[in-house]
Amino acid sequence: MSAGVYHIPVLLNECVESLCIRHGYDYADCTLGGGGHSEKIAELLNEGQKLHCFDRDIEALVAARARLARFGEKIIYHHKPFSDLGKELAPEALGGVLYDLGISSHQIDTNRGFSFAGNEALDMRMDSGSGESAQDYLERISEKELAKILKENSDLEMSGRLARLILSGVAAAKGEDRKITAADLNSAIEEVYASRKKDWNSLKARVFQAIRMEVNSEISEIKKSIEAAVHCLKSSGRLCIITYHSKEARTVKEVLSLFEKNCLCNNNLPVCVCGGNNRKIKKVNKKPVTPCVEELKNNSRSRSASLRVYERI
Ligand SMILES: C[S@@+](CC[C@H](N)C(=O)[O-])C[C@H]1O[C@@H](n2cnc3c(N)ncnc32)[C@H](O)[C@@H]1O
């Protein structure tokens, strides 16, 4: 990534095509970031149509506002977590909603502790004005809890031993009255996976990801928000979601599978008592859309992206 580029949007054309933008409807980009997807969407909107852009990171809003200034009042900015979607927008208010989950290149590359390659204090909050930093989080949780999140969020083996070593590094830093840094986590990871040197970078990335997900309550944010998004969509409206790892993808599929069913009765009931008419969405593609060879070549950070598209019935 060249210096000065906030974030290269992933699956850009695929997302915008999948949204099937229609005249007369408003849209939402729940993960504004550097505004790459929003810019392309805004270009397709007519006078009077609005694009609601959410980000909990003030730096994203500042950068995107500058990039998107020419669209004026067409864009409405929400410095909010996207779980507030249902509070900010009315039911059936939107023709389409986009999520490009995770963090931006800017967040990875700046000094906020998101990257295992950095040497700054571990903050990891997307909204650095609220909530608990990674440092506070690691000082508070138990070894058992940490082992669980390392396993569940990033599927890490030997999570118990890893949690023990990470927390002993955290305690040592506290004893020395200094902040924990990436180096503290990295040395625990290198010790636990000493025999897997060639995998260190990917293991480190997964450990950082697992902790970041907890610091930002990422899974509960996704659950709350996409449920709200289904209700915010008008009939035929599109819901487009890019995920970057298996826990995100599983969460999206699980939440949306409930809205794909007509009958919500318990399996052990002999007959349907719910009315059998609950289906709210259908899948547009059987398989998720992934980046083409060209995109993978130009943007290595797109390599784990998968786009799922649903349509409101
Ligand atoms: C992958 S980046 C989006 C990049 C954007 N599509 C672009 O083209 O520049 C994800 C963005 O979503 C934001 N984000 C992630 N989770 C969020 C949440 N729960 N609420 C609001 N913003 C969130 C992050 O702060 C980050 O800026």
Side-chain angles (χ1 to χ4, degrees):
M1 168 123 353
S2 58
V5 176
Y6 193 98
H7 182 86
I8 301 174
V10 169
L11 291 166
L12 179 59
N13 292 328
E14 293 84 346
C15 282
V16 176
E17 276 162 25
S18 302
L19 278 171
C20 286
I21 292 175
R22 294 172 294 167
H23 298 324
Y25 293 106
D26 293 342
Y27 289 81
D29 178 354
C30 283
T31 47
L32 174 65
H37 287 99
S38 282
E39 181 174 51
K40 191 104 179 171
I41 297 167
E43 279 167 1
L44 298 172
L45 300 184
N46 283 343
E47 193 78 7
Q49 287 182 280
K50 303 285 182 209
L51 174 61
H52 292 269
C53 293
F54 288 75
D55 208 296
R56 62 199 333 200
D57 183 345
I58 194 69
E59 288 184 15
L61 283 137
V62 169
R65 263 182 196 276
R67 177 178 187 162
L68 305 173
R70 70 181 191 279
F71 297 108
E73 291 179 1
K74 205 184 248 186
I75 303 194
I76 300 171
Y77 298 92
H78 302 256
H79 181 214
K80 299 266 162 125
F82 57 51
S83 55
D84 278 359
L85 181 73
K87 286 191 206 154
E88 298 285 297
L89 293 162
E92 297 182 33
L94 298 170
V97 183
L98 171 69
Y99 294 84
D100 177 16
L101 295 172
I103 51 174
S104 65
S105 299
H106 175 81
Q107 287 167 324
I108 297 171
D109 296 338
T110 47
N111 308 329
R112 288 159 61 181
F114 286 108
S115 167
F116 66 85
N119 60 3
E120 57 276 349
L122 294 185
D123 187 305
M124 292 196 190
R125 287 173 297 171
M126 293 183 198
D127 178 356
S128 37
S130 79
E132 184 179 50
S133 69
Q135 162 111 23
D136 295 339
Y137 170 71
L138 288 170
E139 284 179 357
R140 174 177 61 77
I141 56 160
S142 69
E143 195 178 302
K144 202 167 159 200
E145 282 171 294
L146 182 58
K148 185 165 177 268
I149 70 111
L150 293 169
K151 178 90 195 124
E152 286 184 0
N153 290 352
S154 289
D155 221 2
L156 285 152
E157 293 152 12
M158 297 189 275
S159 59
R161 178 153 181 248
L162 183 56
R164 192 171 337 118
L165 280 189
I166 289 176
L167 292 189
S168 72
V170 170
K174 203 170 177 190
E176 292 161 20
D177 202 20
R178 63 169 180 84
K179 299 261 187 205
I180 337 158
T181 65
D184 294 303
L185 295 195
N186 290 342
S187 67
I189 298 163
E190 289 173 13
E191 192 174 332
V192 173
Y193 303 108
S195 62
R196 296 175 59 188
K197 206 166 177 179
K198 65 173 183 3
D199 299 330
W200 275 358
N201 281 358
S202 105
L203 290 161
K204 288 174 187 174
R206 281 159 61 197
V207 170
F208 275 67
Q209 172 189 289
I211 297 171
R212 182 204 89 207
M213 286 168 71
E214 294 307 303
V215 169
N216 295 287
S217 309
E218 291 183 32
I219 296 303
S220 67
E221 278 287 310
I222 296 171
K223 285 183 180 163
K224 234 183 177 174
S225 190
I226 56 178
E227 207 176 306
V230 172
H231 296 292
C232 285
L233 283 173
K234 292 182 192 295
S235 174
S236 306
R238 290 284 178 93
L239 176 55
C240 299
I241 308 173
I242 307 177
T243 60
Y244 291 89
H245 56 82
S246 59
K247 176 89 188 212
E248 276 177 352
R250 253 191 335 266
T251 306
V252 167
K253 285 188 283 182
E254 272 167 27
V255 174
L256 291 176
S257 70
L258 292 178
F259 291 101
E260 288 179 87
K261 289 183 185 160
N262 261 326
C263 175
L264 299 176
C265 291
N266 208 316
N267 280 344
N268 56 19
L269 282 181
V271 285
C272 168
V273 291
C274 71
N277 191 21
N278 292 295
R279 192 170 183 214
K280 292 199 168 44
I281 51 164
K282 61 179 183 196
K283 275 195 196 88
V284 172
N285 305 316
K286 271 206 177 115
K287 281 191 167 178
V289 179
T290 52
C292 64
V293 177
E294 189 66 13
E295 177 163 9
L296 291 170
K297 205 169 75 193
N298 294 332
N299 181 11
S300 62
R301 284 183 181 165
S302 69
R303 66 187 171 272
S304 48
S306 290
L307 169 65
R308 289 181 169 75
V309 184
Y310 295 81
E311 186 172 295
R312 181 75 160 91
I313 289 167

